[in-house]
PDB file of all heavy atoms in Angstrom:
ATOM      1  N   ILE A 504     116.561 105.211 116.543  1.00 94.00           N
ATOM      2  CA  ILE A 504     116.244 104.494 117.779  1.00 94.00           C
ATOM      3  C   ILE A 504     115.498 105.401 118.748  1.00 94.00           C
ATOM      4  O   ILE A 504     114.621 104.945 119.488  1.00 94.00           O
ATOM      5  CB  ILE A 504     117.523 103.907 118.431  1.00 94.00           C
ATOM      6  CG1 ILE A 504     117.155 102.802 119.426  1.00 94.00           C
ATOM      7  CG2 ILE A 504     118.345 104.971 119.096  1.00 94.00           C
ATOM      8  CD1 ILE A 504     116.543 101.578 118.812  1.00 94.00           C
ATOM      9  N   THR A 505     115.827 106.685 118.762  1.00 95.00           N
ATOM     10  CA  THR A 505     115.100 107.627 119.625  1.00 95.00           C
ATOM     11  C   THR A 505     113.643 107.723 119.204  1.00 95.00           C
ATOM     12  O   THR A 505     112.728 107.653 120.039  1.00 95.00           O
ATOM     13  CB  THR A 505     115.751 109.021 119.580  1.00 95.00           C
ATOM     14  OG1 THR A 505     117.112 108.929 120.020  1.00 95.00           O
ATOM     15  CG2 THR A 505     115.002 109.997 120.480  1.00 95.00           C
ATOM     16  N   ALA A 506     113.411 107.888 117.913  1.00 94.00           N
ATOM     17  CA  ALA A 506     112.042 107.972 117.406  1.00 94.00           C
ATOM     18  C   ALA A 506     111.274 106.679 117.656  1.00 94.00           C
ATOM     19  O   ALA A 506     110.106 106.702 118.071  1.00 94.00           O
ATOM     20  CB  ALA A 506     112.057 108.296 115.912  1.00 94.00           C
ATOM     21  N   MET A 507     111.932 105.550 117.425  1.00 93.00           N
ATOM     22  CA  MET A 507     111.277 104.254 117.612  1.00 93.00           C
ATOM     23  C   MET A 507     110.904 104.015 119.072  1.00 93.00           C
ATOM     24  O   MET A 507     109.760 103.668 119.402  1.00 93.00           O
ATOM     25  CB  MET A 507     112.193 103.133 117.113  1.00 93.00           C
ATOM     26  CG  MET A 507     111.637 101.726 117.302  1.00 93.00           C
ATOM     27  SD  MET A 507     110.239 101.366 116.208  1.00 93.00           S
ATOM     28  CE  MET A 507     111.105 101.159 114.648  1.00 93.00           C
ATOM     29  N   ILE A 508     111.856 104.214 119.966  1.00 92.00           N
ATOM     30  CA  ILE A 508     111.619 103.939 121.396  1.00 92.00           C
ATOM     31  C   ILE A 508     110.517 104.839 121.954  1.00 92.00           C
ATOM     32  O   ILE A 508     109.603 104.363 122.635  1.00 92.00           O
ATOM     33  CB  ILE A 508     112.926 104.097 122.200  1.00 92.00           C
ATOM     34  CG1 ILE A 508     113.880 102.940 121.888  1.00 92.00           C
ATOM     35  CG2 ILE A 508     112.626 104.145 123.691  1.00 92.00           C
ATOM     36  CD1 ILE A 508     115.227 103.059 122.562  1.00 92.00           C
ATOM     37  N   PHE A 509     110.590 106.121 121.661  1.00 92.00           N
ATOM     38  CA  PHE A 509     109.597 107.030 122.233  1.00 92.00           C
ATOM     39  C   PHE A 509     108.213 106.818 121.617  1.00 92.00           C
ATOM     40  O   PHE A 509     107.192 106.975 122.312  1.00 92.00           O
ATOM     41  CB  PHE A 509     110.053 108.477 122.078  1.00 92.00           C
ATOM     42  CG  PHE A 509     111.001 108.917 123.147  1.00 92.00           C
ATOM     43  CD1 PHE A 509     112.376 108.792 122.975  1.00 92.00           C
ATOM     44  CD2 PHE A 509     110.540 109.413 124.356  1.00 92.00           C
ATOM     45  CE1 PHE A 509     113.265 109.168 123.966  1.00 92.00           C
ATOM     46  CE2 PHE A 509     111.414 109.792 125.363  1.00 92.00           C
ATOM     47  CZ  PHE A 509     112.781 109.675 125.174  1.00 92.00           C
ATOM     48  N   SER A 510     108.152 106.448 120.354  1.00 91.00           N
ATOM     49  CA  SER A 510     106.839 106.165 119.755  1.00 91.00           C
ATOM     50  C   SER A 510     106.208 104.938 120.408  1.00 91.00           C
ATOM     51  O   SER A 510     104.994 104.913 120.652  1.00 91.00           O
ATOM     52  CB  SER A 510     106.975 105.947 118.247  1.00 91.00           C
ATOM     53  OG  SER A 510     107.741 104.791 117.955  1.00 91.00           O
ATOM     54  N   LEU A 511     107.033 103.943 120.732  1.00 90.00           N
ATOM     55  CA  LEU A 511     106.508 102.736 121.378  1.00 90.00           C
ATOM     56  C   LEU A 511     106.150 103.000 122.838  1.00 90.00           C
ATOM     57  O   LEU A 511     105.131 102.504 123.341  1.00 90.00           O
ATOM     58  CB  LEU A 511     107.522 101.597 121.278  1.00 90.00           C
ATOM     59  CG  LEU A 511     107.857 101.116 119.852  1.00 90.00           C
ATOM     60  CD1 LEU A 511     108.884 100.003 119.887  1.00 90.00           C
ATOM     61  CD2 LEU A 511     106.592 100.652 119.129  1.00 90.00           C
ATOM     62  N   LEU A 512     106.966 103.805 123.508  1.00 89.00           N
ATOM     63  CA  LEU A 512     106.673 104.139 124.905  1.00 89.00           C
ATOM     64  C   LEU A 512     105.366 104.918 125.028  1.00 89.00           C
ATOM     65  O   LEU A 512     104.519 104.617 125.876  1.00 89.00           O
ATOM     66  CB  LEU A 512     107.823 104.946 125.509  1.00 89.00           C
ATOM     67  CG  LEU A 512     109.096 104.183 125.866  1.00 89.00           C
ATOM     68  CD1 LEU A 512     110.174 105.139 126.371  1.00 89.00           C
ATOM     69  CD2 LEU A 512     108.816 103.114 126.925  1.00 89.00           C
ATOM     70  N   PHE A 513     105.192 105.913 124.178  1.00 88.00           N
ATOM     71  CA  PHE A 513     103.960 106.701 124.215  1.00 88.00           C
ATOM     72  C   PHE A 513     102.744 105.862 123.846  1.00 88.00           C
ATOM     73  O   PHE A 513     101.628 106.134 124.299  1.00 88.00           O
ATOM     74  CB  PHE A 513     104.066 107.905 123.279  1.00 88.00           C
ATOM     75  CG  PHE A 513     105.051 108.949 123.731  1.00 88.00           C
ATOM     76  CD1 PHE A 513     105.748 109.713 122.814  1.00 88.00           C
ATOM     77  CD2 PHE A 513     105.278 109.164 125.085  1.00 88.00           C
ATOM     78  CE1 PHE A 513     106.663 110.678 123.230  1.00 88.00           C
ATOM     79  CE2 PHE A 513     106.187 110.127 125.511  1.00 88.00           C
ATOM     80  CZ  PHE A 513     106.880 110.883 124.587  1.00 88.00           C
ATOM     81  N   SER A 514     102.978 104.819 123.016  1.00 88.00           N
ATOM     82  CA  SER A 514     101.865 103.975 122.584  1.00 88.00           C
ATOM     83  C   SER A 514     101.287 103.147 123.726  1.00 88.00           C
ATOM     84  O   SER A 514     100.170 102.644 123.619  1.00 88.00           O
ATOM     85  CB  SER A 514     102.319 103.036 121.463  1.00 88.00           C
ATOM     86  OG  SER A 514     102.673 103.771 120.318  1.00 88.00           O
ATOM     87  N   PHE A 515     102.046 102.987 124.802  1.00 84.00           N
ATOM     88  CA  PHE A 515     101.512 102.270 125.961  1.00 84.00           C
ATOM     89  C   PHE A 515     100.363 103.045 126.598  1.00 84.00           C
ATOM     90  O   PHE A 515      99.509 102.459 127.256  1.00 84.00           O
ATOM     91  CB  PHE A 515     102.607 102.048 126.999  1.00 84.00           C
ATOM     92  CG  PHE A 515     103.468 100.860 126.716  1.00 84.00           C
ATOM     93  CD1 PHE A 515     104.781 101.012 126.303  1.00 84.00           C
ATOM     94  CD2 PHE A 515     102.966  99.573 126.850  1.00 84.00           C
ATOM     95  CE1 PHE A 515     105.584  99.921 126.037  1.00 84.00           C
ATOM     96  CE2 PHE A 515     103.759  98.460 126.580  1.00 84.00           C
ATOM     97  CZ  PHE A 515     105.074  98.634 126.170  1.00 84.00           C
ATOM     98  N   ARG A 516     100.352 104.355 126.391  1.00 80.00           N
ATOM     99  CA  ARG A 516      99.350 105.184 127.054  1.00 80.00           C
ATOM    100  C   ARG A 516      98.309 105.783 126.115  1.00 80.00           C
ATOM    101  O   ARG A 516      97.150 105.931 126.460  1.00 80.00           O
ATOM    102  CB  ARG A 516     100.044 106.342 127.799  1.00 80.00           C
ATOM    103  CG  ARG A 516      99.083 107.156 128.639  1.00 80.00           C
ATOM    104  CD  ARG A 516      99.616 108.516 129.003  1.00 80.00           C
ATOM    105  NE  ARG A 516      98.648 109.231 129.827  1.00 80.00           N
ATOM    106  CZ  ARG A 516      97.596 109.879 129.360  1.00 80.00           C
ATOM    107  NH1 ARG A 516      97.360 109.898 128.060  1.00 80.00           N
ATOM    108  NH2 ARG A 516      96.753 110.483 130.181  1.00 80.00           N
TER     109      ARG A 516
END
Side-chain angles (χ1 to χ4, degrees):
I504 199 66
T505 301
M507 178 70 74
I508 288 176
F509 277 92
S510 65
L511 297 179
L512 285 176
F513 291 148
S514 295
F515 277 109
R516 186 199 181 279

